[in-house]
Amino acid sequence: MLSSYKLKLNTKMNITLAQAEKVINTAKQKSIEIDTKMNIAVVDAGANLVAFVRMDGAWLGSLDISIKKAKTARFFDMNTGIIGELSQPGGPLYNIEHSNNGLITFPGGVPIKNEAGEIIGAIGVSGSSVENDHTVAEAGALAV
């Protein structure tokens, strides 16, 4: 009985594969809409990779960046662009990108929340301008 309860509680606080696939598909559609090719990563509440897609023709170098953006957004429960603003010279988080085996502190990583507003994971997108990366990531995050 207790193990079944823990499983239900854990599932509620974690993004499911079905939700992650919906996030990926929505982000992919937004990417197509704005004519970009993206790497899109979704991590769970523990910052573990759940789903990933590299669109045909997306930059290889952006693969790792998209995953790190998702992890960064989850580690700090905020958009990576906000972390970037706080990590400028003289800022309160200056040099934070050197922690956690490397963070990405520019736009394109967004936390994903469930209906109750609890963070259940994050999306990271890379492959275009940081503005486009954020637009696609935000569309994906809102799909849940």
Side-chain angles (χ1 to χ4, degrees):
M1 181 75 161
L2 182 58
S3 62
S4 132
Y5 173 81
K6 284 183 181 180
L7 179 61
K8 287 179 186 176
L9 180 65
N10 188 23
T11 302
K12 186 175 178 184
M13 297 295 292
N14 250 329
I15 193 165
T16 65
L17 178 57
Q19 289 171 316
E21 288 171 338
K22 184 176 181 182
V23 167
I24 293 265
N25 289 330
T26 302
K28 199 166 70 171
Q29 287 305 311
K30 186 62 164 181
S31 181
I32 291 166
E33 179 185 311
I34 64 173
D35 195 29
T36 61
K37 297 173 175 112
M38 300 288 197
N39 290 284
I40 305 164
V42 175
V43 298
D44 64 15
N48 301 295
L49 187 64
V50 175
F52 175 84
V53 68
R54 179 176 167 260
M55 295 175 68
D56 293 340
W59 293 330
L60 289 172
S62 290
L63 189 151
D64 184 56
I65 294 170
S66 68
I67 295 169
K68 285 185 177 179
K69 283 183 182 182
K71 288 183 175 195
T72 301
R74 178 56 189 115
F75 285 158
F76 298 98
D77 293 338
M78 67 178 83
N79 293 353
T80 53
I82 294 170
I83 298 169
E85 292 171 14
L86 297 171
S87 66
Q88 296 303 306
L93 299 180
Y94 182 61
N95 277 329
I96 195 169
E97 66 274 8
H98 301 293
S99 70
N100 295 286
N101 293 318
L103 301 175
I104 300 294
T105 59
F106 46 87
V110 176
I112 299 170
K113 297 178 181 180
N114 63 15
E115 302 83 20
E118 301 160 323
I119 295 174
I120 59 171
I123 180 174
V125 176
S126 184
S128 184
S129 66
V130 293
E131 294 82 11
N132 285 344
D133 291 356
H134 178 74
T135 296
V136 172
E138 192 169 53
L142 293 173
V144 172

